[in-house]
Amino acid sequence: MSPASLARPLAVLGLGAALIGSLAVGVLHLLPPTADLSPIRRTISEYAFYDTGWIFNYGVLALAAGSLAVLLALAGAGLVRPTSAGAVGVLVWCLGLAAVVYFPKHNWAVGPSPSGTIHRAASLLAFVALPLAAILIARAWRGDERWRRSALWTIALAVGALAWFGVILGAVLLEPFTGVSWWRAIPLGAVERALALAEVSVVLALGWWALTAARPIRT
């Protein structure tokens, strides 16, 4: 089968996996014992520490796999070149999510650790790489009448994700002036969850765009 013929099933697979993975992590907000964690202050990655942590891990990996399927669908539909910066950015997002699972969150109160450092770096890299990649992909199609709306929606969602990341970055940059630890200066859990939802929305926008582009032409 040609890449073009695989674009539609890959888009469907990617959208389904991304939705299932996101819902799996969302369910942890309702299931004990993670339901007792504050969604305002505690980060999502802390769910991995509990007996239901396997749900978190599989949910994140499902999102990573779905994102990779979406990337392949975009390439098959002719919306992105596999060697372009946009494609590389989406791949970095996928690898970053996998690294978040393989290198779990660390309790920084007991001091730094290689695993915790990699986890934090992978998270930051993934959260930045996806929206930037989406903007690069969409910019190339803003002038195309067929895909102008899809491109503008994708750019808007990606900018929203970067804005939420900017809240975290701002807290880090202001720490030397305020004297307040950056993770205490903002409701980190709430901001991280808003950022995660924004990132997932970018994946879904790209997946829907690929699905639309791969739709058979009616004669």
Side-chain angles (χ1 to χ4, degrees):
M1 299 178 68
S2 66
S5 64
L6 291 174
R8 186 171 177 80
L10 282 171
V12 172
L13 176 63
L15 286 168
L19 283 171
I20 291 172
S22 302
L23 289 174
V25 176
V27 165
L28 293 175
H29 291 74
L30 307 175
L31 293 177
T34 49
D36 295 330
L37 290 179
S38 169
I40 305 299
R41 285 292 176 183
R42 308 299 287 271
T43 62
I44 305 174
S45 296
E46 292 185 44
Y47 291 152
F49 294 151
Y50 294 82
D51 292 339
T52 53
W54 63 272
I55 299 178
F56 170 82
N57 290 335
Y58 280 113
V60 174
L61 290 176
L63 176 58
S67 300
L68 180 58
V70 166
L71 174 59
L72 295 175
L74 289 168
L79 294 173
V80 63
R81 290 183 293 105
T83 57
S84 67
V88 171
V90 177
L91 184 58
V92 169
W93 153 260
C94 298
L95 294 175
L97 291 180
V100 164
V101 173
Y102 191 79
F103 299 96
K105 180 180 175 66
H106 174 69
N107 181 6
W108 290 91
V110 300
S113 75
S115 176
T117 300
I118 294 174
H119 176 93
R120 177 176 288 180
S123 301
L124 295 176
L125 189 60
F127 283 145
V128 173
L130 177 65
L132 289 181
I135 290 173
L136 290 174
I137 293 170
R139 281 187 61 188
W141 297 98
R142 286 181 305 169
D144 191 300
E145 185 63 31
R146 296 171 301 168
W147 308 125
R148 180 178 296 129
R149 180 176 297 181
S150 297
L152 292 177
W153 266 109
T154 300
I155 291 173
L157 293 171
V159 169
L162 288 174
W164 281 112
F165 182 81
V167 175
I168 298 176
L169 180 60
V172 174
L173 294 177
L174 288 174
E175 182 176 341
F177 304 98
T178 63
V180 180
S181 301
W182 66 270
W183 60 90
R184 298 184 184 277
I186 58 174
L188 182 57
V191 173
E192 187 187 69
R193 284 162 175 78
L195 173 59
L197 284 174
E199 299 275 345
V200 170
S201 71
V202 173
V203 174
L204 296 179
L206 290 172
W208 184 257
W209 188 1
L211 182 64
T212 303
R215 186 173 297 162
I217 299 176
R218 297 181 180 180
T219 57

